[in-house]
Amino acid sequence: MKFKKTLGLEVHAQINTKTKLFSRALVDDEANANTCVDFLDAGFPGALPVVNEQAIHLALRTALALNMEINDVSIFDRKHYFYQDLPLGYQITQFYKPIGVNGYIECSFGKIRINRLHIECDAGKSIYKEGRTYIDLNRSGVPLMEIVTEPDFHHEDEVIEYMKELRAILLAVKTCKCDMEKGNLRADVNISVSATNELGTRAEIKNLNSFSAIRKAIQYEANFQIETLKSGGVVQQETKLFDSNENVTQAIRDKADAHEYLYFPDPDLLPVKLDKEFIQQVKENLPKLPKEMREDLQSYGIQIEQSYVLTETLERFEFFEQLTNDFNNDLKLKTSNWISSELLGKLAKLDIELEDLLRRNRHFVDNFKEIIKLCETEEVTRVIAKLMIDEIIIHDKNFNELFANSELLKKIDIDLDLLIISILDKSPDEIEKFKKGKVQIVMYFVGLVMKETKGKCSADLAKEKIIEELEKRK
Ligand code: MN
């Protein structure tokens, strides 16, 4: 029997505001526990909510960027449930009339329909330590957007692509910081499997906060459901959590039906009215979105895959633009290759984010630009250019410093061994000849080293090292 997966997503994205959705308390991920709490956030009787206009504005921008229809009147409702970190006893959300409906994101495999975007408050945080439960209310009342798709996905790769595109859009419109580790952006995945055309019973996996957790949780849960059905069992409608240490999903509770939350409009809050001109104005002022950024890049001749890589975050795209603002298309294309094949690979190996590097090393853009220019005008070889990039990234060296103090030339001696190894690795035929007694091949390798270093290293030293390395391979 062949089973088909069907997946839908509910993403919670923290709205990028200074203060909470209905109180004056600050939103601060770094603050000490319970220092960003106003009366309302702690559920004090009589504390009244005052809506944060900025949060509404940013949610509106997001909904428009997601091609949504805007409800010019949206309403806040109370969603009741009991939990230790929800002091009010209800969450303020938009159930009956969300701010945005019927949007979509265009993905490479097709359109993903977005059913709704609503605004709501986050709950507090429970911290379980040494048999006790501690409550931190700093998150209580933090504004969130919940972005809900239709069940339009059939593979985890599609879910990841959608998440990346959603993140790129949120970063482009600057409405969410999207730091997944900090929980700024987290996904609940609905998943069911079926061997027929009818949908199976779905489980919901909550609070996945990394791409790899999303992927692994889907794979595990789909397998679990398929195995359950194959052995004649029944899939339960459940809410689950993913344990990233064990790579398994575990049920936490039965999924509640909507009526159990006793939704009703919050009597302390007026409906949110947005006038048509204002909506139109926000729409016209939307910044360039990832799709348009990619079109720009493709117009320079950059491949589609690379255009995705360069637009994963706004900072990455801006880095490229800054780097290449006075380059012709040919050089832009070459720069795109430098970024995706050399720079990002190098950073991934070192576990450094490009964004962090740019923040730390203010000269990086200028330096990187100089190196690309030198390399592409063949004033230095690719090998040396790569060494220079290493120096700049790892040791925060400045380009001029590298060049003027001939640090680089010393560096060539140090890395001569590496250069020789990489040349030899690419020449198995020549090495065979050497093994068979053709010693003149040494001079061929010396020639290659001199070429790669633009003659900036000692030929005798190179020869010595090449023989040493060749002997090792005998
Ligand atoms: Mn929610």
Side-chain angles (χ1 to χ4, degrees), residues 339-447:
I339 295 175
S340 39
S341 62
E342 299 298 338
L343 181 64
L344 293 175
K346 181 98 225 164
L347 292 177
K349 252 187 232 155
L350 294 168
D351 199 20
I352 300 173
E353 296 288 335
L354 175 66
E355 292 73 16
D356 292 334
L357 174 68
L358 296 176
R359 245 165 265 149
R360 191 186 71 200
N361 186 338
R362 283 164 197 280
H363 304 292
F364 185 76
V365 176
D366 295 335
N367 287 334
F368 192 52
K369 187 171 183 149
E370 282 305 316
I371 295 171
I372 291 171
K373 280 204 272 190
L374 278 181
C375 188
E376 295 302 341
T377 52
E378 297 191 348
E379 278 170 64
V380 300
T381 64
R382 253 189 126 74
V383 175
I384 295 181
K386 284 186 209 172
L387 292 176
M388 293 172 88
I389 294 171
D390 284 2
E391 285 295 293
I392 290 172
I393 296 174
I394 301 169
H395 305 295
D396 276 340
K397 285 271 164 59
N398 193 305
F399 178 78
N400 295 330
E401 195 186 339
L402 271 179
F403 229 64
N405 302 337
S406 16
E407 283 271 354
L408 183 69
L409 303 183
K410 280 184 229 152
K411 184 73 189 164
I412 290 167
D413 288 337
I414 297 162
D415 279 301
L416 196 53
D417 295 324
L418 278 180
L419 177 62
I420 289 169
I421 289 170
S422 83
I423 288 174
L424 293 189
D425 283 347
K426 281 181 222 138
S427 323
D429 295 347
E430 284 74 13
I431 291 177
E432 272 315 303
K433 286 181 194 162
F434 177 77
K435 283 182 188 168
K436 286 181 185 146
K438 197 177 173 197
V439 289
Q440 303 94 300
I441 214 83
V442 171
M443 289 322 286
Y444 163 77
F445 285 125
V446 171

Side-chain angles (χ1 to χ4, degrees), residues 12 91 118 120 146:
H12 286 94
Q91 178 190 28
H118 63 253
E120 63 184 26
E146 183 173 329

Side-chain angles (χ1 to χ4, degrees), residues 178-225:
C178 296
D179 186 336
M180 294 183 82
E181 263 172 45
K182 283 188 183 153
N184 285 173
L185 186 67
R186 44 193 207 255
D188 302 345
V189 181
N190 285 301
I191 170 166
S192 66
V193 300
S194 173
T196 66
N197 282 334
E198 246 162 82
L199 285 179
T201 307
R202 68 196 163 100
E204 184 181 19
I205 312 165
K206 291 201 89 76
N207 279 334
L208 297 165
N209 64 355
S210 74
F211 293 136
S212 81
I214 292 172
R215 180 183 297 283
K216 287 182 193 155
I218 294 172
Q219 286 166 344
Y220 176 85
E221 180 62 24
N223 250 338
F224 171 79
Q225 292 185 9

